[in-house]
Amino acid sequence: MAGTIETYGRKIEDLARAQGLDFYPVQFEEVPDSFMMEVAVYGLPVRMPHWSFGVRYIYQLIQHRMGHSRLFEVVFPGNPGRAYLAKGNSVQENTLVVAHVLGHADFSKHNELFRRSQQEVGYRIVDQAAGHARQIAAAMEEHGQERVEQILDAALALEAHIDAFKGLRRERYPEFVEEQLIDDDTFRQRFHRLPGDERPAPQHEPKKRASLPLQPERDLLWFIAQYAPDLEGWERDIFLAVREESFYFYPVFACQIMNEGWASYWHARLLREADFIPQNEYLDAIKTHSDVVRPHAADRQASLSINPYHLGFCMWESIIDNLGMEKAMQIRAQDDDFGFIRNYLTAELAEELKLFRYKASNDGAVEVVDREINALRDAILAPKYSFGAPAIAVRHVEADGTLHLVHEHGTDGRGLDFKRSEKVLDYLHRVWRRPVKLDTVDARGEGRTLRTPAE
């Protein structure tokens, strides 16, 4: 940063610390708008090359040109954190963005999900992702683009299928079930060990090979990396690189409403108390704040989706007003969006924000279904279950090597797009190199099994 914004940035950082925010150092860098869009699409400044990012880029570009989105900043938590500011931002916009980034930096340092993720993945994800990109470029050089892309097709199609609660680094399943004595009555065993009892010692069962997996396994990236029968070492490394980046992205996804709301609350508060900013510049900056936390989509169009900045900002204001800053700091450290919405989105606040559940018909008509608070919380959280993807687990590896998957539709309440599911199974089959099948249900709730290759 240079000039005025650098001066403002230092003062805002001092003000933030004086207000109780605590964060690792943040490196700010101004970059062209086109680079900002690439970072937003790839998720990281440098990432493994894949055609799917090009598809996402085109979508983002169309949204941007239609005025549906504008990128002011992209921030990466870590020690140090990194923040990219669009060169097209005005000084007033960047003043707000710096304050917003410091809110994010405080959140990511203290929130338990972020802390655990950074302890596992590391505090320098930008550098690590660049290392993954170099690793994959070297694999392309050695094994050819087509072979590497085949692995990336499968790994990136499964990028949301991790189990964040089992951790990044896991041991493989034991090969055999734990040895058990035939006589498992501990009192009888102790009785037989008394002096004078000459009964033969209990017999041991022969070793039994453990089933694979021991229980339904939701971390598909881990399972395939560990157990795909013919996966080569370099292919396994690509799966594990994608999985590591997914562990980095999980808390960003799981805490989006909390995190964006916290950053928005703090940029508004810090700007309000920054008496070194001239009045006219403050008004321009606060206009940007209004654009960020507006509840509607554009102009006067009613929004049928949640703006996480608006919802999170309003919830944090309510929490701090009613429960105090100390409690707010505790919530930002301990919760994710599930706890945040379920515990602190009250019926009164939902009514004030005019939140409701609705259904839309094919002719474009929209009908309000209800405003019941528990149903409303469920509707807000539904897209966030299972990292936003259908809940799929490995049920079993059959004797001929068939990978048997099951869609836990009763858990996630989602249906599957069969055309897309068959495409993903096809990607998966190319790396598993044995048949793959998936049990799910159709639109009528009747059981259906997708297979590749088809029988």
Side-chain angles (χ1 to χ4, degrees), residues 57-105:
Y57 183 87
I58 292 170
Y59 174 80
Q60 184 73 38
L61 187 64
I62 292 171
Q63 291 288 307
H64 180 67
R65 289 187 175 170
M66 290 177 69
H68 291 168
S69 70
R70 182 177 170 196
L71 298 168
F72 290 104
E73 48 79 23
V74 180
V75 58
F76 299 96
N79 185 13
R82 286 200 194 178
Y84 295 92
L85 283 58
K87 270 193 174 170
N89 292 350
S90 66
V91 170
Q92 295 80 7
E93 287 167 342
N94 270 343
T95 304
L96 175 142
V97 166
V98 169
H100 188 87
V101 166
L102 296 180
H104 279 312

Side-chain angles (χ1 to χ4, degrees), residues 350-371:
E351 182 66 26
E352 182 183 327
L353 299 179
K354 302 188 187 320
L355 298 177
F356 54 85
R357 288 199 311 133
Y358 72 94
K359 64 179 180 183
S361 54
N362 293 334
D363 62 2
V366 174
E367 179 184 349
V368 175
V369 175
D370 64 45
R371 299 174 186 271

Side-chain angles (χ1 to χ4, degrees), residues 411-428:
T411 303
D412 68 14
R414 291 186 175 97
L416 290 185
D417 180 327
F418 288 142
K419 197 168 181 181
R420 295 180 69 177
S421 301
E422 287 168 349
K423 190 70 179 172
V424 173
L425 290 186
D426 185 46
Y427 290 152
L428 192 47

Side-chain angles (χ1 to χ4, degrees), residues 10 79 96 137 149 253 314 324 355:
R10 281 199 297 270
N79 185 13
L96 175 142
E149 204 157 82
F253 177 84
C314 295
L355 298 177

Side-chain angles (χ1 to χ4, degrees), residues 180-185 188-190 192-193 199-205:
Q180 291 186 352
L181 296 175
I182 291 173
D183 186 350
D184 59 355
D185 186 318
R188 191 160 49 232
Q189 291 169 27
R190 290 169 59 198
H192 291 330
R193 286 198 293 271
R199 297 185 186 195
Q203 298 298 308
H204 294 269
E205 286 184 332

Side-chain angles (χ1 to χ4, degrees), residues 354-412:
K354 302 188 187 320
L355 298 177
F356 54 85
R357 288 199 311 133
Y358 72 94
K359 64 179 180 183
S361 54
N362 293 334
D363 62 2
V366 174
E367 179 184 349
V368 175
V369 175
D370 64 45
R371 299 174 186 271
E372 200 277 321
I373 186 62
N374 287 318
L376 185 60
R377 291 169 180 152
D378 286 343
I380 293 170
L381 294 173
K384 301 186 76 71
Y385 286 111
S386 302
F387 208 168
I392 307 290
V394 179
R395 172 176 282 175
H396 188 49
V397 177
E398 299 178 355
D400 65 351
T402 297
L403 180 64
H404 186 172
L405 306 173
V406 59
H407 172 211
E408 297 174 339
H409 53 87
T411 303
D412 68 14

Side-chain angles (χ1 to χ4, degrees), residues 20 66 88 100-101 134 156 176 217 224 277 328 332 386 418 427 452:
M66 290 177 69
H100 188 87
V101 166
R134 288 193 295 273
L156 289 171
F176 297 96
E217 176 58 64
I224 291 166
I277 299 176
R332 77 82 158 88
S386 302
F418 288 142
Y427 290 152
T452 182

